[in-house]
């Protein structure tokens, strides 16, 4: 069975490395001979040990019927989308780490794969080297999944860990993450939450059976989190983590789905996921809570997930009927305003008596304290209610001259 | 596709319940119609909603060629072994939660399944509802697994959690576990570590490719753990957990494998696995550490894993080439005496100066303290060395009139 690798960046070169390193063992597991026949990249790699495999011509790969599996590790929407579609239509299975493409076009590409009796696998698109896609649709097949939540982005988790453990300010932690190669020079996709958003969309679609578009999921990054927020979280036994979550709609209603920083217990399975690690919690009706933990990114973990999918394609006959979801027009996610949540608030005013004002608007609250707290600062956790009510109450406070310094959801993980 | 369920105990009735509850969804995932045609049990269940399906005659099931998948949830070696063998030889796939049988006869039954082009699946045999067997041989296919370690028994973890969190003595915690239905009236298989031993044997065989017999794996239970040991563990940021572990032999040597209580960091992914939960850490060369967490036992979690395997059999054509290991004559595990480890020791003597005596025998140690420590008691962690050296040194101490009150391995998880 011949394989082509599209893209020779970090993941692509990792795929080639893992493949040749473990080739004998992989062939044993696949039950047949395997070889990488082409590597597609527009750049030149004259000194690469696999220089003979390089091509710049996608058509050469598409037209070679001996190529049965294609690893698309280019990333982004185009040309990845066109290449993937072409390969599937020509009867080649495609495996990928491209979360952006799966989150945007997953339902369509899975349907094309089904129609041509091949597979579209994307284990590496969520959680890097952590097995999550396959356990979700196979091992947990006998469950109805009610909720899925996770720390899905290693870069932001590294930054938050540095803030929590070492009291490092956000900007310093971000600079360190960039220096260590965990964050891009333009870190927006990580720190603004878009990367986590694409991943929770894929997990939600697979869990609940309907495509979920990133644009429909309220997404808030970690750029506004301060060391003061971290200190207040510690006061109630919590840590701040960037959580992507999706929950089945009740009574056939819309899904809830959101990406946002949250207070969670520092002793829980998700609360102890630190540094660049990821953790994903799946709540099934029969199995209860199951958590998957590991390195969510990096060359070799991600590449090993892609290669695992290649092996699986080699063993498969026809399409996997459990790896699919229905297309959707979008608009199937409840709005942020409808979300019901507990909320941490940090307020400042030198004229308003904050405990009294907050008590009037929110009833009983849990007051928080921190070392070095200013006399005109007040922080608390308010009880569960819809966010539109919280918005309205905050607007009232602001009308009274109160400044909102911090606002983070409090979740039960 | 017709299914037979052998055994209508806790897991068997759970399998039937989960199957009929989710039947429509399961058929969709399997891509075909499914039905339970027989339930085998020697007892009478006249009022059961599925009374019409019961039979006491195994031959009826074996001879019915419309039965393609058999769920063996009887447990124990016989008649489970004979029934499983007969079904596989007659071209029926078998799925099971029977860890004793897989640990004893796994290599042979997998080979029979292969020869008859059917499957022998046992996701439920380790970790209950946690997907671990399939991720190990599929998602992690592109890794060379170096080490696997876990909290594999929920009953002992519940008891240890009560000892650690509430200062409950072992006997009281065991009685509570029995009262809550977590422990059997005869708790030996749990508290003496045999259950965990069977599970680590299965994981080791799958990870390292060769059958590992429970009799070759040194197994120590939790019955000797005291609240004093728990307090000394806390003094160095540790908790005591019953850990099953297996490590690839270096330079082609024997495996190391063992089940024993151990000090591990209370902040690690395994250290935060509490109550009846299980956690399994897999260390791969490409993927790094991956941890799987969830309910390790219980009717519905285990049943959902069995039903997941049934679905997988329905989708499979032929045998899975990656789910197999080689037979072995046994004797492929290094002895306890060769094991190299750090060790916690708790010693008592009213005549010997313990710090000096210990220093002479073990060199530099990490001294531990606890509230209420008696004047003639001394506890410490000694640095890494082979257990035969530790044994010899302890024998020397005992020769001097020192009493060994506690001895627990210290592991880096």
């Amino acid at each position: 069975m011949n394989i082509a690798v599209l893209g020779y960046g970090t993941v692509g070169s990792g795929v080639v490395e893992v493949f040749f390193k473990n080739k004998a063992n992989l062939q044993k597991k696949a039950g047949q001979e395997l070889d990488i026949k082409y590597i597609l990249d527009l750049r030149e790699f004259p000194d690469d040990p696999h220089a003979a495999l390089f091509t710049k011509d996608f058509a050469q790969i598409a037209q070679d019927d001996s190529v049965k599996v294609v690893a698309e590790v280019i990333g982004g929407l185009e040309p990845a989308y066109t290449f993937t579609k072409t390969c599937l239509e020509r009867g080649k299975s495609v495996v990928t780490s491209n979360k952006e493409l799966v989150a945007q076009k997953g339902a369509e590409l899975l349907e094309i794969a089904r129609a041509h009796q091949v597979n579209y696998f994307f284990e590496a698109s969520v959680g890097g080297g952590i097995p999550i896609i396959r356990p979700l649709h196979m091992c947990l097949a006998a469950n109805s999944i009610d909720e899925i939540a996770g720390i899905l982005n290693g870069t932001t988790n590294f930054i938050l860990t540095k803030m929590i453990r070492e009291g490092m300010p956000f900007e310093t932690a971000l600079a360190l993450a960039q220096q260590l190669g965990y964050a891009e020079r333009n870190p927006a996709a990580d720190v603004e939450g878009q990367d986590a958003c694409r991943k929770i969309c894929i997990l939600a679609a697979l869990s609940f059976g309907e495509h979920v578009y990133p644009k429909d999921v309220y997404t808030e990054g970690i750029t506004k989190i301060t060391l003061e927020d971290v200190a207040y979280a510690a006061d109630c036994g919590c840590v701040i983590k960037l959580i992507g979550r999706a929950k089945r709609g009740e009574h056939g209603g819309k899904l809830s789905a959101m990406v946002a920083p949250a207070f969670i217990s520092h002793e829980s399975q998700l609360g102890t996921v630190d540094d660049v690690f990821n953790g994903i919690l799946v709540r099934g009706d029969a199995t209860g809570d199951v958590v998957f933990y590991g390195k969510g990114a990096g060359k070799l973990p991600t590449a090993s997930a892609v290669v695992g999918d290649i092996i699986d394609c080699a063993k498969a006959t026809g399409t996997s009927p459990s790896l699919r979801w229905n297309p959707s027009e979008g608009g199937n996610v409840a709005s942020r305003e409808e979300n019901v949540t507990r909320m941490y608030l940090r307020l400042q005013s030198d004229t308003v008596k904050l405990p009294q004002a907050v008590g009037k608007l929110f009833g009983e609250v849990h007051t928080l304290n921190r070392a070095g707290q200013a006399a005109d600062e007040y922080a608390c956790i308010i009880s569960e209610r819809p966010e539109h009510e919280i918005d309205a109450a905050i607007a009232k406070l602001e009308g009274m001259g109160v400044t909102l310094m911090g606002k983070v959801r409090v979740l039960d993980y």
Side-chain angles (χ1 to χ4, degrees), chain A residues 19-52:
Chain A
F19 178 85
F20 284 108
K21 190 179 156 204
N22 298 316
K23 191 175 169 188
N25 197 23
L26 295 174
Q27 293 186 133
K28 202 170 135 195
K29 287 185 178 169
Q32 60 184 291
E33 282 189 30
L34 303 173
D35 224 337
I36 293 181
K37 187 165 178 184
Y38 302 104
I39 302 170
L40 180 80
D41 205 294
L42 296 178
R43 295 166 294 177
E44 304 278 347
F45 296 90
D47 302 326
D48 192 277
H50 310 291

Short mmCIF file of all heavy atoms in Angstrom, two decimals, chain A residues 19-52:
data_model
loop_
_atom_site.label_atom_id
_atom_site.label_comp_id
_atom_site.label_asym_id
_atom_site.label_seq_id
_atom_site.Cartn_x
_atom_site.Cartn_y
_atom_site.Cartn_z
N PHE A 19 7.16 7.17 10.61
CA PHE A 19 6.87 6.06 9.70
C PHE A 19 8.12 5.21 9.44
O PHE A 19 8.10 3.99 9.61
CB PHE A 19 6.31 6.58 8.38
CG PHE A 19 6.04 5.48 7.39
CD1 PHE A 19 4.85 4.78 7.43
CD2 PHE A 19 6.99 5.11 6.44
CE1 PHE A 19 4.60 3.74 6.54
CE2 PHE A 19 6.76 4.08 5.55
CZ PHE A 19 5.56 3.39 5.60
N PHE A 20 9.21 5.86 9.05
CA PHE A 20 10.39 5.08 8.69
C PHE A 20 11.06 4.46 9.92
O PHE A 20 11.63 3.38 9.85
CB PHE A 20 11.38 5.92 7.87
CG PHE A 20 10.92 6.08 6.44
CD1 PHE A 20 10.44 7.31 5.96
CD2 PHE A 20 10.92 4.99 5.56
CE1 PHE A 20 9.99 7.44 4.66
CE2 PHE A 20 10.47 5.13 4.25
CZ PHE A 20 10.00 6.35 3.79
N LYS A 21 10.96 5.14 11.06
CA LYS A 21 11.55 4.61 12.28
C LYS A 21 10.88 3.30 12.71
O LYS A 21 11.54 2.37 13.17
CB LYS A 21 11.41 5.66 13.39
CG LYS A 21 12.20 5.33 14.64
CD LYS A 21 12.04 6.42 15.71
CE LYS A 21 12.30 5.83 17.08
NZ LYS A 21 11.67 6.58 18.15
N ASN A 22 9.54 3.26 12.60
CA ASN A 22 8.80 2.09 13.09
C ASN A 22 8.25 1.22 11.97
O ASN A 22 7.31 0.44 12.18
CB ASN A 22 7.63 2.55 13.97
CG ASN A 22 8.08 3.30 15.20
OD1 ASN A 22 9.03 2.90 15.86
ND2 ASN A 22 7.41 4.41 15.50
N LYS A 23 8.82 1.33 10.75
CA LYS A 23 8.18 0.72 9.58
C LYS A 23 7.88 -0.78 9.75
O LYS A 23 6.76 -1.22 9.46
CB LYS A 23 9.07 0.95 8.35
CG LYS A 23 8.36 0.59 7.05
CD LYS A 23 9.22 0.95 5.84
CE LYS A 23 8.62 0.34 4.59
NZ LYS A 23 9.52 0.51 3.44
N ALA A 24 8.85 -1.54 10.24
CA ALA A 24 8.65 -3.00 10.35
C ALA A 24 7.46 -3.30 11.25
O ALA A 24 6.58 -4.10 10.91
CB ALA A 24 9.92 -3.65 10.89
N ASN A 25 7.43 -2.64 12.39
CA ASN A 25 6.37 -2.84 13.35
C ASN A 25 5.01 -2.39 12.81
O ASN A 25 3.98 -3.03 13.03
CB ASN A 25 6.73 -2.06 14.62
CG ASN A 25 5.92 -2.52 15.81
OD1 ASN A 25 5.43 -3.64 15.83
ND2 ASN A 25 5.78 -1.64 16.78
N LEU A 26 5.01 -1.29 12.07
CA LEU A 26 3.77 -0.77 11.50
C LEU A 26 3.20 -1.75 10.47
O LEU A 26 1.99 -1.98 10.42
CB LEU A 26 4.02 0.59 10.83
CG LEU A 26 4.44 1.72 11.76
CD1 LEU A 26 4.81 2.96 10.94
CD2 LEU A 26 3.33 2.05 12.74
N GLN A 27 4.08 -2.33 9.67
CA GLN A 27 3.61 -3.28 8.65
C GLN A 27 3.00 -4.52 9.30
O GLN A 27 2.00 -5.04 8.82
CB GLN A 27 4.79 -3.66 7.74
CG GLN A 27 5.24 -2.47 6.91
CD GLN A 27 6.31 -2.80 5.88
OE1 GLN A 27 6.22 -2.41 4.74
NE2 GLN A 27 7.33 -3.53 6.30
N LYS A 28 3.60 -4.92 10.42
CA LYS A 28 3.06 -6.05 11.18
C LYS A 28 1.65 -5.72 11.68
O LYS A 28 0.73 -6.52 11.56
CB LYS A 28 4.00 -6.33 12.35
CG LYS A 28 3.92 -7.74 12.91
CD LYS A 28 5.06 -7.96 13.91
CE LYS A 28 4.55 -8.64 15.16
NZ LYS A 28 5.52 -8.55 16.27
N LYS A 29 1.52 -4.51 12.22
CA LYS A 29 0.22 -4.12 12.76
C LYS A 29 -0.82 -3.94 11.65
O LYS A 29 -2.00 -4.19 11.84
CB LYS A 29 0.34 -2.84 13.57
CG LYS A 29 1.03 -3.10 14.91
CD LYS A 29 1.07 -1.87 15.80
CE LYS A 29 1.74 -2.24 17.13
NZ LYS A 29 2.06 -1.09 17.95
N ALA A 30 -0.37 -3.46 10.51
CA ALA A 30 -1.31 -3.24 9.40
C ALA A 30 -1.59 -4.54 8.66
O ALA A 30 -2.57 -4.64 7.91
CB ALA A 30 -0.73 -2.20 8.44
N GLY A 31 -0.74 -5.54 8.84
CA GLY A 31 -0.93 -6.81 8.14
C GLY A 31 -0.58 -6.74 6.66
O GLY A 31 -1.06 -7.55 5.87
N GLN A 32 0.22 -5.77 6.24
CA GLN A 32 0.62 -5.66 4.83
C GLN A 32 1.82 -4.74 4.69
O GLN A 32 2.19 -4.02 5.62
CB GLN A 32 -0.54 -5.15 3.97
CG GLN A 32 -1.04 -3.78 4.37
CD GLN A 32 -2.25 -3.36 3.55
OE1 GLN A 32 -2.15 -3.10 2.36
NE2 GLN A 32 -3.40 -3.30 4.20
N GLU A 33 2.43 -4.76 3.49
CA GLU A 33 3.56 -3.86 3.23
C GLU A 33 3.07 -2.43 3.02
O GLU A 33 2.03 -2.20 2.40
CB GLU A 33 4.34 -4.32 1.99
CG GLU A 33 5.23 -5.50 2.31
CD GLU A 33 6.16 -5.84 1.16
OE1 GLU A 33 6.54 -4.91 0.40
OE2 GLU A 33 6.50 -7.02 1.02
N LEU A 34 3.82 -1.48 3.55
CA LEU A 34 3.45 -0.07 3.44
C LEU A 34 4.66 0.70 2.93
O LEU A 34 5.79 0.38 3.28
CB LEU A 34 3.09 0.50 4.82
CG LEU A 34 1.98 -0.18 5.62
CD1 LEU A 34 1.92 0.44 7.01
CD2 LEU A 34 0.65 -0.02 4.90
N ASP A 35 4.42 1.74 2.14
CA ASP A 35 5.54 2.61 1.77
C ASP A 35 5.06 4.03 1.49
O ASP A 35 3.95 4.24 1.00
CB ASP A 35 6.28 2.07 0.54
CG ASP A 35 7.80 2.17 0.77
OD1 ASP A 35 8.22 2.99 1.60
OD2 ASP A 35 8.53 1.41 0.12
N ILE A 36 5.90 5.00 1.84
CA ILE A 36 5.63 6.38 1.46
C ILE A 36 6.20 6.58 0.06
O ILE A 36 7.42 6.42 -0.14
CB ILE A 36 6.24 7.38 2.47
CG1 ILE A 36 5.52 7.26 3.82
CG2 ILE A 36 6.14 8.81 1.93
CD1 ILE A 36 6.01 8.22 4.89
N LYS A 37 5.33 6.90 -0.91
CA LYS A 37 5.77 7.02 -2.30
C LYS A 37 6.05 8.48 -2.68
O LYS A 37 6.90 8.74 -3.51
CB LYS A 37 4.71 6.41 -3.22
CG LYS A 37 5.15 6.32 -4.69
CD LYS A 37 4.25 5.40 -5.49
CE LYS A 37 4.67 5.36 -6.97
NZ LYS A 37 3.74 4.55 -7.77
N TYR A 38 5.27 9.41 -2.10
CA TYR A 38 5.44 10.82 -2.44
C TYR A 38 5.40 11.70 -1.19
O TYR A 38 4.66 11.40 -0.24
CB TYR A 38 4.29 11.33 -3.32
CG TYR A 38 4.09 10.60 -4.62
CD1 TYR A 38 3.04 9.69 -4.75
CD2 TYR A 38 4.92 10.85 -5.71
CE1 TYR A 38 2.82 9.03 -5.95
CE2 TYR A 38 4.70 10.19 -6.92
CZ TYR A 38 3.65 9.27 -7.03
OH TYR A 38 3.45 8.62 -8.22
N ILE A 39 6.17 12.77 -1.22
CA ILE A 39 6.00 13.86 -0.26
C ILE A 39 5.79 15.13 -1.08
O ILE A 39 6.63 15.48 -1.92
CB ILE A 39 7.25 14.03 0.64
CG1 ILE A 39 7.56 12.72 1.39
CG2 ILE A 39 7.05 15.18 1.62
CD1 ILE A 39 8.91 12.74 2.11
N LEU A 40 4.65 15.79 -0.87
CA LEU A 40 4.33 17.00 -1.64
C LEU A 40 4.73 18.24 -0.85
O LEU A 40 4.27 18.43 0.28
CB LEU A 40 2.83 17.05 -1.92
CG LEU A 40 2.34 18.27 -2.73
CD1 LEU A 40 2.62 18.07 -4.21
CD2 LEU A 40 0.85 18.53 -2.50
N ASP A 41 5.57 19.07 -1.43
CA ASP A 41 5.87 20.37 -0.82
C ASP A 41 6.43 21.26 -1.92
O ASP A 41 7.13 20.79 -2.81
CB ASP A 41 6.87 20.23 0.34
CG ASP A 41 6.73 21.38 1.33
OD1 ASP A 41 7.03 22.54 0.95
OD2 ASP A 41 6.29 21.15 2.47
N LEU A 42 6.10 22.55 -1.82
CA LEU A 42 6.56 23.47 -2.86
C LEU A 42 8.01 23.89 -2.63
O LEU A 42 8.67 24.41 -3.51
CB LEU A 42 5.66 24.71 -2.92
CG LEU A 42 4.23 24.39 -3.34
CD1 LEU A 42 3.37 25.65 -3.35
CD2 LEU A 42 4.20 23.73 -4.73
N ARG A 43 8.48 23.67 -1.39
CA ARG A 43 9.86 24.04 -1.08
C ARG A 43 10.83 22.93 -1.52
O ARG A 43 10.42 21.81 -1.81
CB ARG A 43 10.00 24.29 0.43
CG ARG A 43 9.18 25.49 0.90
CD ARG A 43 9.07 25.51 2.41
NE ARG A 43 8.28 24.38 2.90
CZ ARG A 43 8.07 24.13 4.18
NH1 ARG A 43 8.60 24.90 5.11
NH2 ARG A 43 7.33 23.11 4.55
N GLU A 44 12.13 23.30 -1.53
CA GLU A 44 13.18 22.33 -1.90
C GLU A 44 13.81 21.73 -0.65
O GLU A 44 14.09 22.46 0.30
CB GLU A 44 14.30 23.05 -2.69
CG GLU A 44 13.85 23.80 -3.93
CD GLU A 44 13.71 22.87 -5.13
OE1 GLU A 44 14.20 21.71 -5.06
OE2 GLU A 44 13.10 23.28 -6.13
N PHE A 45 14.03 20.43 -0.64
CA PHE A 45 14.72 19.78 0.47
C PHE A 45 15.84 18.89 -0.08
O PHE A 45 15.78 17.67 0.05
CB PHE A 45 13.74 18.95 1.31
CG PHE A 45 12.67 19.78 1.97
CD1 PHE A 45 11.46 20.04 1.33
CD2 PHE A 45 12.87 20.31 3.24
CE1 PHE A 45 10.48 20.81 1.94
CE2 PHE A 45 11.89 21.07 3.86
CZ PHE A 45 10.69 21.33 3.20
N PRO A 46 16.87 19.52 -0.73
CA PRO A 46 17.87 18.72 -1.45
C PRO A 46 18.66 17.78 -0.54
O PRO A 46 19.11 16.73 -0.98
CB PRO A 46 18.79 19.77 -2.08
CG PRO A 46 18.56 21.02 -1.29
CD PRO A 46 17.16 20.96 -0.79
N ASP A 47 18.81 18.15 0.75
CA ASP A 47 19.66 17.34 1.63
C ASP A 47 18.87 16.36 2.48
O ASP A 47 19.41 15.69 3.36
CB ASP A 47 20.48 18.26 2.55
CG ASP A 47 21.33 19.22 1.74
OD1 ASP A 47 21.77 18.79 0.66
OD2 ASP A 47 21.50 20.37 2.17
N ASP A 48 17.55 16.30 2.26
CA ASP A 48 16.72 15.42 3.07
C ASP A 48 17.01 13.96 2.69
O ASP A 48 17.19 13.65 1.50
CB ASP A 48 15.24 15.74 2.82
CG ASP A 48 14.34 15.08 3.84
OD1 ASP A 48 14.02 13.88 3.64
OD2 ASP A 48 13.99 15.74 4.83
N PRO A 49 17.05 13.05 3.68
CA PRO A 49 17.30 11.63 3.35
C PRO A 49 16.23 11.05 2.42
O PRO A 49 16.49 10.04 1.77
CB PRO A 49 17.29 10.94 4.72
CG PRO A 49 16.69 11.92 5.68
CD PRO A 49 16.97 13.28 5.13
N HIS A 50 15.05 11.70 2.37
CA HIS A 50 14.00 11.19 1.50
C HIS A 50 13.80 12.09 0.28
O HIS A 50 12.69 12.16 -0.28
CB HIS A 50 12.70 11.06 2.29
CG HIS A 50 12.89 10.34 3.59
ND1 HIS A 50 13.18 9.00 3.65
CD2 HIS A 50 12.90 10.78 4.88
CE1 HIS A 50 13.34 8.64 4.91
NE2 HIS A 50 13.18 9.70 5.68
N ALA A 51 14.87 12.77 -0.15
CA ALA A 51 14.79 13.75 -1.24
C ALA A 51 14.14 13.16 -2.49
O ALA A 51 13.40 13.84 -3.21
CB ALA A 51 16.18 14.29 -1.56
N ALA A 52 14.36 11.87 -2.74
CA ALA A 52 13.84 11.24 -3.97
C ALA A 52 12.32 11.17 -3.98
O ALA A 52 11.72 10.98 -5.05
CB ALA A 52 14.43 9.84 -4.10
#
